[in-house]
Amino acid sequence: MTRRTLLIAAPYLWLLVLFFAPFLIVLKISLSDAALAIPPYTPTIKDGVGAMFAELDFENFVFLTEDDLYWKAYFSSFRIALVSTFLTLLVGYPIAYGMAKAPDEWRATLMMLVILPFWTSFLIRVYAWMGILSNEGLLNQLLFWLGLINEPLVILNTNLAVYIGIVYTYLPFMILPIYAALDRLDPSLDEAAQDLGCTRTQAFWLVTIPLSKNGIVAGSFLVFIPALGEFVIPSLLGGSGTLMIGKVLWEEFFNNRDWPVASAVAVILLLLLIIPIVLFQRNQQKQQEAEQ
Amino acid sequence: MKRLSWFNVTSLTLGFAFLYLPMLVLIFYSFNSSKLVTVWAGFSTKWYGTLFQNEAFLDAAWITLKVAVLSSCFATVLGTMAAYVLVRGGRFMGRTLFSGMIYAPLVMPEVITGLSLLLLFISIGLDRGVLTIVLAHTTFSMCYVSVVVSSRLMTFDRSLEEAALDLGSTPWEAFRLVTLPIIAPAVISGWLLAFTLSLDDLVIASFTAGPAATTLPIKIFSAVRLGVSPEINALSTIMILIVTVGVVTASLVTKRNAVRAQQEAQAAERATN
């Protein structure tokens, strides 16, 4: 019995101290005042637990609602995440479909080719696009050479580059669940639809797409949720006009050193994420129940 | 025999070109002799030479490796324990909170995890350095390990464990002699996942690393913020090659084991007939 307690207690305590407690601290600091001392907030635990809770107020949250920047940042992260999820679906679905239709002996190799980028450094994959999209970059050189443009297209440091970056880095997360759904699909259903008079396109829209819905939904959440809080992509590929909440939090913390406001931004980001996360979990649960 | 339509061939070709061309371009330009990254000026390996003389990069690489080895080992032990508790542990007080804490870090934005851990370390007065990065990486990696291991635990036949217990094993012996060998592939892939996640991580490390401990991603990030550099191309090429060799080897080994298991099963079937 004591062994069982130990087995439960070790990971449990670890997560309580290093995952749960930090959130309480963030919540607490989001309700504190900024001070110039390091750490730049007051009061701290050293002042005693009583003092910590005596001076709480919602000043930082009020500040967030008053400053336009934060509204815009939340709204624009949401929009960027939504648009890029949709683009990832458009790019990912045909690839997953092609994989599911491929001969069996190719499949292991195709799977490995999709998973391989996932193991490669995220930072390096984002960085790779900097050299391609810049004004003197490869893409512009190619377009020049083809005679399609006379002056370079400005892509790097715009929202377009952020979209490309998100689609590129999160593509495997979209492909894998859709492939899993399509792989399970019985091809005779598609044949039956065609025998009953559907054209191939109709059969695709009326049979294949609805039956792969679970994969589409799972893949979309797997892209949307991390894209919403993304930091690396907007800061390397985006420009000064690219507002994303992960970047704002980072700048609030490292550049402005305003820890209470950074914490308040984190708390609101978390509240925003709860809805898609709960929806995602419900979808996964439904799928599991359907399989049983 | 199934044949691919032209549409499927095109979408697969374009899709994989999109996935791989940027990395191939990066590798190609790492052998460029010009400092200007976008102008080709002939083949050269000089950037690899300057990279290996750059002490700051070498130091950062060493710290990154240390952090990755330590945190992935801790994460594997804790994550396997957590998976076992979740799948086999039965009911205990606070089980819902526990499973919530296992799944939440998987979807948590890194900026929030990083910020909250930093605030914890500061409020308990822990100096930032290798130790704090290891603690941070262990925390989020153990959740990934636990998800990988628990999916394996869920699918395997519990009666094997029960048989061992009936035959007089202690629970620990049953785990060590029966369960662990069966879930070993999942534990190993969990370890690999934790290891690469730690190698890769920029955001959480930036928050939890002190001035004394800079990891490779932090170093790369501050270098590439200023633009593309041939040295970083060379470094990226090395990292891409290591991962490629690792993943291809792993998948070949898995394939060979699967074929062997199949052959053994067939042989056993023949023997019983």
Side-chain angles (χ1 to χ4, degrees), chain A residues 8-24 281, chain B residues 82 86 92-108 113 138-144 146-147:
Chain A
I8 296 175
Y12 207 137
L13 283 179
W14 184 285
L15 287 171
L16 272 184
V17 172
L18 286 150
F19 183 75
F20 196 67
F23 274 110
L24 298 182
Q281 257 178 349
Chain B
L86 276 180
F92 57 90
M93 228 177 65
R95 193 181 191 285
T96 322
L97 176 65
F98 185 65
S99 70
M101 288 194 300
I102 291 287
Y103 290 104
L106 307 179
V107 289
M108 195 60 63
T113 313
T138 305
T139 308
F140 77 85
S141 309
M142 70 176 272
C143 302
Y144 284 89
S146 136
V147 168

Side-chain angles (χ1 to χ4, degrees), chain A residues 3-4 6-8 10-12 14-20 22-23 25-26 29 39 41 45 94-95 97-103 106-107 110 112-114 116-124 127-132 136-138 141 167-168 171 225 229 231-232 235-236 246 249-250 253-254 259 262-263 266 269-270 273 277 281, chain B residues 1-2 4 8 11-12 15-16 18-20 22-23 25-26 29 38 78 81-82 84-85 89 91-94 97-98 101-105 107-109 111-112 115-123 135 138-139 142-143 172 192-193 196 200 202-203 206-207 217 220-221 224-225 227-229 232-233 236 239-240 243-244 247-248 251:
Chain A
R3 268 219 174 109
R4 179 169 180 265
L6 191 74
L7 184 69
I8 296 175
Y12 207 137
W14 184 285
L15 287 171
L16 272 184
V17 172
L18 286 150
F19 183 75
F20 196 67
F23 274 110
I25 297 176
V26 169
I29 290 173
Y41 63 88
I45 287 184
I95 302 176
Y97 189 78
M99 281 170 70
K101 293 279 176 207
W106 290 14
R107 290 204 183 176
L110 291 175
M112 197 191 71
L113 284 174
V114 172
L116 185 62
F118 170 80
W119 292 92
T120 332
S121 166
F122 186 84
L123 186 59
I124 287 174
Y127 164 69
W129 282 95
M130 290 175 71
I132 296 173
E136 314 84 47
L138 227 58
Q141 284 181 25
V167 172
Y168 181 68
L171 196 56
I225 294 171
F231 163 73
V232 176
S235 65
L236 287 184
L249 192 157
W250 179 284
F253 187 85
F254 285 105
W259 296 15
S263 303
L269 174 57
L270 209 57
L273 273 172
I277 289 171
Q281 257 178 349
Chain B
M1 201 53 236
K2 273 196 290 190
L4 277 175
N8 289 333
S11 59
L12 282 179
F16 284 106
F18 176 64
L19 273 177
Y20 283 92
M23 284 193 262
V25 167
L26 198 70
Y29 276 99
T38 46
L78 285 165
M81 286 168 92
Y84 199 78
V85 167
R91 293 174 159 279
F92 57 90
M93 228 177 65
L97 176 65
F98 185 65
M101 288 194 300
I102 291 287
Y103 290 104
V107 289
M108 195 60 63
V111 280
I112 298 186
L115 176 74
S116 65
L117 279 165
L118 169 62
L119 296 178
L120 170 82
F121 294 143
I122 284 174
S123 63
L135 289 176
T138 305
T139 308
M142 70 176 272
C143 302
W172 166 242
L192 276 173
L193 188 60
T196 32
D200 251 19
L202 162 75
V203 176
S206 300
F207 278 100
I220 295 175
F221 183 69
V224 304
R225 267 199 139 165
V228 181
S229 100
I232 300 287
N233 285 354
S236 307
M239 290 169 77
I240 291 172
V243 170
T244 310
V247 172
V248 172
S251 76

